Amino acid sequence: AIKDRIPHHLYLKGVNDNEDRYEDLSVFIDRLGVKDRVILDISNRSEEEMNYLYSHASLFVSPSLREGFGLTPIEASLHKVPVVVSNIETLLEVTDGMVDSFDPKSVESMAEVMLNALQHPPSPAELERIAAYYKEKYSGKCQTDAYMRLIESVANMKT
């Protein structure tokens, strides 16, 4: 929907858990005429390689229809990359409304939010603020404190 309006390459990172799905996606990319601008990567990447990819991205998009936790948008944000996510409950909860979201079942919604993020990215100061927020929220200390409060509230219920 926006391929003719942006110069960017699309890097799709996934896992090879279904050969048919990979082949279907490859055929689809070719049919759209964007094969020269799409990198489909199903390899295992080291943490260092992922850090490099995050830090060189113009935009991180999480188009998930379902997620267990949704750590990748947080990881991208910690690298000070603009992030947009689908508006599924898990991703909205994990990102705390700090990033823009779109309807993952609407090409128009996704295209509009992605294009806006590319044309009007958050300032470096805003990206730094978001990264700092997530760094604190998902820190070991903050998580431990939350667990301790939970355990304490359960223990108090029994007394």
Side-chain angles (χ1 to χ4, degrees):
I2 62 174
K3 69 181 176 78
D4 296 328
R5 299 171 66 186
I6 62 170
H8 300 79
H9 283 72
L10 178 61
Y11 180 86
L12 297 173
K13 180 71 184 102
V15 294
N16 190 11
D17 62 350
N18 185 322
E19 278 297 323
D20 292 337
R21 198 170 33 185
Y22 176 80
E23 184 59 33
D24 290 346
L25 190 53
S26 296
V27 169
F28 180 69
I29 290 166
D30 193 35
R31 190 178 54 187
L32 287 176
V34 293
K35 192 174 188 173
D36 60 327
R37 292 178 53 198
V38 176
I39 300 163
L40 185 54
D41 182 2
I42 56 171
S43 63
N44 290 323
R45 295 284 177 196
S46 68
E47 185 175 342
E48 293 79 21
E49 289 172 315
M50 290 307 299
N51 288 339
Y52 176 86
L53 292 169
Y54 282 129
S55 64
H56 287 82
S58 299
L59 177 65
F60 179 87
V61 181
S62 184
S64 297
L65 294 171
R66 61 180 183 197
E67 267 307 326
F69 179 74
L71 185 61
T72 54
I74 303 307
E75 290 173 341
S77 293
L78 291 174
H79 285 86
K80 300 172 188 79
V81 175
V83 170
V84 296
V85 298
S86 61
N87 63 5
I88 62 171
E89 187 176 338
T90 302
L91 292 178
L92 293 177
E93 182 179 334
V94 167
T95 59
D96 271 351
M98 302 285 287
V99 301
D100 289 334
S101 64
F102 54 85
D103 177 352
K105 296 180 180 177
S106 167
V107 171
E108 294 79 17
S109 174
M110 183 187 290
E112 178 184 332
V113 171
M114 288 174 61
L115 191 59
N116 185 60
L118 288 168
Q119 292 176 339
H120 308 286
S123 69
E126 179 64 8
L127 292 172
E128 182 67 44
R129 186 183 73 77
I130 293 169
Y133 176 83
Y134 290 143
K135 187 174 182 179
E136 170 62 24
K137 178 179 179 177
Y138 294 108
S139 70
K141 180 181 180 346
C142 190
Q143 295 300 302
T144 301
D145 290 349
Y147 283 125
M148 289 172 56
R149 284 191 303 275
L150 176 64
I151 291 167
E152 186 176 314
S153 69
V154 170
N156 289 337
M157 289 173 48
K158 292 182 177 184
T159 58

